[in-house]
Amino acid sequence: MALKIHQEKKIIHEMPAGGELYLNVLTFDSQRPGPVTYIQSSVHGAELQGNIVIYEMMKHLKGHPFKGKVIFVPMANPFATNNRQGGHTQGRFNPLTGNNWNRNYIDLMKLKEDQVNFSLKNFIKSNIDTPWEELKKSYKKVILEMLLAHEKKLFLERGPRHNTLLNLELQKIAAQADFVLDLHTGPVATRYIYSAEYERDRVADLSFPFNLSIPNEFAGAMDEACFMPWVKLKEEMYAAGRELPIEFESYTVELGSEERISTEEALVDSNRLLHYLHLRGQLDEDVEFQKPDKQYWSLLADYKTYFAKHGGLFEFLKSPGQHIKKGDVLGRYLLANKISAELDETSIRPELIALKDGIVINHACTCGIGTGGELYQVMEEVNVF
Ligand SMILES: [Zn+2]
């Protein structure tokens, strides 16, 4: 069967002076039975590398046989990417409300039954013996129906809310997926992934060097919003006496630094994701690429931030991806407004010293930092896969 590529432009925002912003939803349909993967990029507007990775993946899928469907939404938050101040993209927070765009998704499992027209208890009762494949299919349908019911209750009478509109739309597109990859970047960062505890061993299949294991809980992000219904189904079914697998997987994939794209790096990024699709039975042939020598992981609780004790300029002496030792000098401040005639080094150029061994994952994208600003994010208590 020949590949079919379906393109849909979904209008998600009409601007005050007119003009529309839309989502460009591209479905690569192999027309062969198989899993559905959903991939979006740039929900945080300055985090752009995912767009070029999506483009490279599309080029590969056009020429190589695969099963099932891959749904792509590049530039998933055009409002945020357009939100520029001077030469800088303020794409992390909704400027109308202050909310973080990746903390605005909906945990369907926390909504009341009448908000989603669904009772998990009743669903479990009537499906206690339903074969898993059939159960999985009808539960996917239920997830979409719940989102639609919630949307109807939330928006139809009194109008949509800017904060939730985009997030709900993206959740609806992802509702049919077996695998969800939400492509982000850090400020100045290496390659790393957030995965749920239940996916701790599976995340190694993405071949990323660094991995953070988050609890199987909801904190507002896309990956969590997508896995919560499956985590809850497993829990409740277990309580009713039946053991189910969680085949569904979703990850937040961090592709380096914001405000830049690189084709060379995108080829590696794209190969990692294509290799994952191959391992999940979707892409027929595997792809060749250089895998990292070691893959590290730590718990989210051991992902620590160094905050600035001084306001001033900060010189970063360690790079993302670099291993650090307790006692290492991570960086040095320059407290320009404390410079006096003595030019005293210790008061003008205090150092930031590492408290523990670890690996630098992120650092701030500006050297001008006030007290309490985030300097570094470091993986500590590191494990190797
Ligand atoms: Zn992000």
Side-chain angles (χ1 to χ4, degrees):
M1 285 261 210
L3 166 69
K4 251 194 182 169
I5 302 172
H6 175 73
Q7 181 178 23
E8 189 187 355
K9 291 186 174 181
K10 274 188 190 238
I11 293 164
I12 40 124
H13 189 72
E14 292 168 8
M15 290 178 282
E20 289 157 345
L21 298 176
Y22 61 88
L23 296 178
N24 189 17
V25 184
L26 290 127
T27 303
F28 280 53
D29 184 354
S30 69
Q31 301 202 79
R32 295 162 68 196
V36 177
T37 297
Y38 172 73
I39 304 178
Q40 66 177 27
S41 61
S42 295
V43 162
H44 287 142
E47 304 178 6
L48 304 167
Q49 175 69 4
N51 299 299
I52 191 163
V53 173
I54 283 178
Y55 178 63
E56 290 300 331
M57 290 185 82
M58 287 175 173
K59 285 201 306 195
H60 189 89
L61 291 180
K62 246 192 129 168
H64 296 82
F66 65 98
K67 298 182 188 76
K69 289 181 196 171
V70 185
I71 306 166
F72 294 101
V73 181
M75 210 53 91
N77 191 350
F79 188 85
T81 301
N82 285 336
N83 186 216
R84 300 186 61 79
Q85 289 164 345
H88 160 79
T89 312
Q90 189 297 94
R92 191 164 183 81
F93 303 98
N94 183 339
L96 274 64
T97 61
N99 289 72
N100 183 328
W101 286 111
N102 195 27
R103 300 292 180 276
N104 262 336
Y105 292 95
I106 295 143
D107 183 2
L108 289 172
M109 299 293 113
K110 281 211 187 99
L111 296 176
K112 293 196 182 85
E113 290 180 4
D114 67 337
Q115 286 176 292
V116 285
N117 296 340
F118 176 73
S119 154
L120 185 57
K121 278 210 161 55
N122 293 344
F123 179 82
I124 284 173
K125 230 185 259 169
S126 50
N127 285 286
I128 194 80
D129 295 317
T130 309
W132 169 235
E133 282 307 316
E134 199 181 310
L135 179 65
K136 203 167 72 172
K137 219 185 249 173
S138 54
Y139 195 58
K140 267 192 200 176
K141 237 174 99 193
V142 160
I143 292 172
L144 181 60
E145 282 164 4
M146 286 166 87
L147 287 163
L148 291 169
H150 182 56
E151 180 182 47
K152 207 167 157 190
K153 290 243 153 61
L154 198 64
F155 293 161
L156 279 194
E157 277 177 18
R158 295 180 186 263
R161 287 159 214 183
H162 187 251
N163 232 3
T164 336
L165 182 68
L166 173 85
N167 300 88
L168 190 61
E169 197 59 49
L170 296 172
Q171 266 182 268
K172 273 162 46 192
I173 306 169
Q176 54 176 306
D178 300 281
F179 310 116
V180 169
L181 301 173
D182 188 14
L183 309 185
H184 286 248
T185 80
V188 176
T190 181
R191 258 65 180 173
Y192 64 106
I193 291 186
Y194 291 95
S195 62
E197 246 171 77
Y198 80 87
E199 301 162 322
R200 192 178 295 159
D201 297 327
R202 308 183 208 176
V203 69
D205 289 343
L206 279 152
S207 311
F208 271 52
F210 307 109
N211 302 277
L212 292 165
S213 181
I214 63 171
N216 299 335
E217 286 166 15
F218 183 74
M222 178 68 166
D223 54 348
E224 298 157 342
C226 294
F227 69 58
M228 280 318 290
W230 298 98
V231 166
K232 212 70 197 162
L233 175 68
K234 183 188 165 76
E235 273 176 25
E236 298 289 321
M237 201 52 121
Y238 186 76
R242 180 175 170 193
E243 183 107 47
L244 287 182
I246 308 180
E247 287 176 1
F248 178 84
E249 294 175 32
S250 59
Y251 302 100
T252 303
V253 179
E254 304 278 346
L255 300 166
S257 308
E258 62 187 22
E259 300 278 34
R260 65 187 287 278
I261 57 169
S262 153
T263 309
E264 196 184 330
E265 291 167 28
L267 289 169
V268 180
D269 294 329
S270 143
N271 277 337
R272 284 176 171 153
L273 304 187
L274 290 166
H275 173 61
Y276 169 77
L277 296 190
H278 171 70
L279 294 177
R280 293 294 173 273
Q282 201 160 14
L283 190 65
D284 290 6
E285 285 168 47
D286 203 355
V287 287
E288 291 278 326
F289 67 104
Q290 180 86 40
K291 298 196 177 65
D293 296 337
K294 277 185 183 165
Q295 287 177 270
Y296 299 92
W297 70 270
S298 69
L299 295 173
L300 187 66
D302 295 314
Y303 186 48
K304 301 287 191 190
T305 302
Y306 283 89
F307 296 95
K309 289 184 181 168
H310 309 279
L313 304 183
F314 189 81
E315 184 179 7
F316 295 94
L317 296 174
K318 301 289 179 190
S319 317
Q322 203 173 346
H323 291 248
I324 54 168
K325 287 271 169 218
K326 182 181 172 181
D328 280 357
V329 179
L330 298 180
R332 213 171 275 135
Y333 295 89
L334 173 67
L335 309 180
N337 67 350
K338 296 222 165 85
I339 299 174
S340 61
E342 294 81 33
L343 301 181
D344 173 46
E345 186 83 3
T346 44
S347 60
I348 296 162
R349 303 231 50 197
E351 292 176 335
L352 175 69
I353 305 293
L355 295 171
K356 269 185 145 180
D357 294 2
I359 301 169
V360 173
I361 298 298
N362 263 308
H363 72 61
C365 55
T366 168
C367 74
I369 295 192
T371 318
E374 294 183 0
L375 295 172
Y376 282 105
Q377 284 168 316
V378 176
M379 264 172 78
E380 297 176 350
E381 308 296 335
V382 175
N383 310 277
V384 180
F385 277 117

